[in-house]
């Protein structure tokens, strides 16, 4: 009986120590990441304050829908740009962000090579527009979040608004 009680105390102590180590590691990682947050650059030299996201996804591709929704929100919060989402190109005079392999204007050359890993992403610029895509919906969502992270400086440290870092508007 005494042996079981000691064993239970030892297990609780190990769990407590593990929690403390995890918390410390998390704080160190957050501190490290915050040091390297970079300002993003966006080319709207044409003078337009509006950007269109062009994306065409099926209802089963909910992760692409969520990623594009986050992209719109993050662009609007980090810039003074107004963002609209369309399934097809409506106005070619404003800058476009083409998202996904099914978006109008996306060609085979915009997609990552077939021989690469299936989750490979492509983020590039073509004819003054941004192309964000992957060969499948999950890769496309990953490409969108990579763009948000790398070019807009947004970070998610934990779920919810408390764990989200969105830099102040600096991009015009």
């Amino acid at each position: 009986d005494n042996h079981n009680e000691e064993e239970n105390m030892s297990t609780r102590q190990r769990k407590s120590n593990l929690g403390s180590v995890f918390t410390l590691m998390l704080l160190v990682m957050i501190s490290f990441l915050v040091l390297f947050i970079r300002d993003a650059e966006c080319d709207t030299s044409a003078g337009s304050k509006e950007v269109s996201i062009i994306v065409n996804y099926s209802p089963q591709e909910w992760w692409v829908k969520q990623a594009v929704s986050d992209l719109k929100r993050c662009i609007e919060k980090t810039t003074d740009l107004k963002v609209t989402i369309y399934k097809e190109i409506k106005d070619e005079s404003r800058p476009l962000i083409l998202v996904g392999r099914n978006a109008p204007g996306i060609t085979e050359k915009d997609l990552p090579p077939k021989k690469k890993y299936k989750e490979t992403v492509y983020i590039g610029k073509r004819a003054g527009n941004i192309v964000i895509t992957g060969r499948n919906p999950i890769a496309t969502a990953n490409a969108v979040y990579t763009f948000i992270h790398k070019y807009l400086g947004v970070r998610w440290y934990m779920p919810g608004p408390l764990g989200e870092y969105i830099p102040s508007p600096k991009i015009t």
Side-chain angles (χ1 to χ4, degrees), residues 90-125:
K90 302 276 186 189
D91 182 2
E92 292 187 31
S93 67
R94 62 168 74 165
L96 302 175
I97 300 174
L98 305 169
V99 177
R101 66 190 191 284
N102 297 326
I106 297 287
T107 63
E108 185 66 27
K109 72 177 185 168
D110 296 318
L111 298 174
K114 287 182 181 180
K115 294 180 182 177
K116 294 284 183 183
Y117 301 103
K118 65 181 180 177
E119 299 301 323
T120 303
V121 303
Y122 175 79
I123 299 172
K125 191 173 179 183

Side-chain angles (χ1 to χ4, degrees), residues 145-170:
Y145 287 113
T146 299
F147 179 86
I148 291 170
H149 180 87
K150 186 173 181 181
Y151 296 102
L152 299 178
V154 175
R155 305 293 188 264
W156 287 279
Y157 298 110
M158 63 183 170
L162 183 62
E164 181 177 73
Y165 170 79
I166 298 180
S168 300
K170 294 181 182 177

Side-chain angles (χ1 to χ4, degrees), residues 17-171:
N17 288 345
L18 239 130
S20 298
V21 169
F22 176 76
T23 304
L24 181 62
M25 286 176 52
L26 184 62
L27 288 172
V28 168
M29 286 176 21
I30 290 171
S31 299
F32 181 74
L33 288 172
V34 168
L35 291 174
F36 292 99
I37 293 173
R38 293 180 273 164
D39 292 337
E41 294 179 22
C42 182
D43 180 18
T44 56
S45 54
S48 175
K49 294 294 181 184
E50 296 184 25
V51 175
S52 295
I53 298 175
I54 311 299
V55 60
N56 192 357
Y57 52 84
S58 68
Q60 296 83 12
E61 297 174 349
W62 60 269
W63 46 87
V64 174
K65 181 180 180 181
Q66 180 61 51
V68 168
S69 173
D70 286 337
L71 176 61
K72 177 187 188 302
R73 185 174 57 83
C74 291
I75 289 173
E76 290 180 338
K77 283 190 171 188
T78 59
T79 69
D80 61 348
L81 300 173
K82 169 86 173 95
V83 180
T84 50
I85 301 172
Y86 298 107
K87 286 192 173 194
E88 52 192 51
I89 298 171
K90 302 276 186 189
D91 182 2
E92 292 187 31
S93 67
R94 62 168 74 165
L96 302 175
I97 300 174
L98 305 169
V99 177
R101 66 190 191 284
N102 297 326
I106 297 287
T107 63
E108 185 66 27
K109 72 177 185 168
D110 296 318
L111 298 174
K114 287 182 181 180
K115 294 180 182 177
K116 294 284 183 183
Y117 301 103
K118 65 181 180 177
E119 299 301 323
T120 303
V121 303
Y122 175 79
I123 299 172
K125 191 173 179 183
R126 184 173 43 105
N129 299 314
I130 297 171
V131 177
I132 304 173
T133 190
R135 285 218 168 260
N136 62 54
I138 294 172
T140 297
N142 286 339
V144 170
Y145 287 113
T146 299
F147 179 86
I148 291 170
H149 180 87
K150 186 173 181 181
Y151 296 102
L152 299 178
V154 175
R155 305 293 188 264
W156 287 279
Y157 298 110
M158 63 183 170
L162 183 62
E164 181 177 73
Y165 170 79
I166 298 180
S168 300
K170 294 181 182 177
I171 307 167

